[in-house]
Amino acid sequence: MSQYAFTPIGVVRSPFTQTAGTPIQPTAAEAAEGEVILEEAYAPGLKDIDGFSHVFLIYVFDGSGPGALCLKPYLDIVERGVFATRAPCRPNPIGLSLVRLLRRDGNVLRIAGVDILDGTPLLDIKPYIPQLNPKDDVRVGWLTGRTDGFASVHATAALGGETGGTGG
């Protein structure tokens, strides 16, 4: 199997400096503002991003524990397969968050709804286009009946390796 190496294109700045207290998903971080600071060499790639209200941030869970194929995710006491969760302890520690784009200042994006630890390495940015992601027949598996709590769930220190890097 091939291996791939990625180089961060920037860093995410947020008010969250430790796992404890960090929202575990953007829905719990609506008011939290932060910045995406791109390396100057990548700034031309931000051309025309201003017209989008939301962007996906793809980043490295650099503070997460070792990858586990089964774990106890937030909102559950039953062990689940990692690919049926959004836990950060993954075989490839890659995170994905949908954030609101407030504005662009040169190589800096001002964002809201950030659920990412301060200093997290950024791998990529993609615009959110709702027409490309519509789904009417969505099932949420083991989370059925449990998703109402997402808007207020924050990481706790007790969850240790299951939370490092946070986000989604």
Side-chain angles (χ1 to χ4, degrees):
M1 189 175 287
S2 298
Q3 291 195 10
Y4 301 92
F6 295 97
T7 301
I9 62 169
V11 66
V12 178
R13 292 290 177 206
S14 82
F16 308 110
T17 58
Q18 58 186 6
T19 301
T22 300
I24 66 164
Q25 296 296 327
T27 55
E30 300 261 336
E33 293 188 10
E35 298 177 335
V36 172
I37 304 172
L38 257 60
E39 297 290 333
E40 284 291 339
Y42 297 103
L46 294 174
K47 182 178 186 276
D48 301 318
I49 201 159
D50 314 73
F52 294 92
S53 64
H54 292 77
V55 294
F56 286 108
L57 300 181
I58 302 166
Y59 51 91
V60 179
F61 284 124
D62 64 325
S64 68
L69 296 179
C70 292
L71 49 83
K72 289 181 189 169
Y74 288 109
L75 304 180
D76 206 359
I77 57 170
V78 176
E79 196 170 76
R80 307 285 179 180
V82 69
F83 303 123
T85 76
R86 293 181 60 151
C89 299
R90 315 185 70 77
N92 289 304
I94 298 170
L96 172 71
S97 291
L98 179 63
V99 298
R100 187 165 31 106
L101 178 57
L102 302 174
R103 70 181 183 279
R104 174 186 170 201
D105 297 323
N107 67 321
V108 178
L109 299 180
R110 311 289 179 190
I111 58 172
V114 62
D115 64 335
I116 304 167
L117 286 175
D118 186 60
T120 295
L122 182 72
L123 297 176
D124 204 352
I125 302 167
K126 294 183 183 251
Y128 173 68
I129 305 166
Q131 295 83 352
L132 299 180
N133 295 324
K135 301 292 178 225
D136 293 326
D137 57 344
V138 176
R139 296 186 330 259
V140 294
W142 64 269
L143 283 166
T144 300
R146 301 176 188 201
T147 57
D148 290 343
F150 283 155
S152 61
V153 179
H154 291 70
T156 64
L159 293 170
E162 295 180 20
T163 64
T166 191

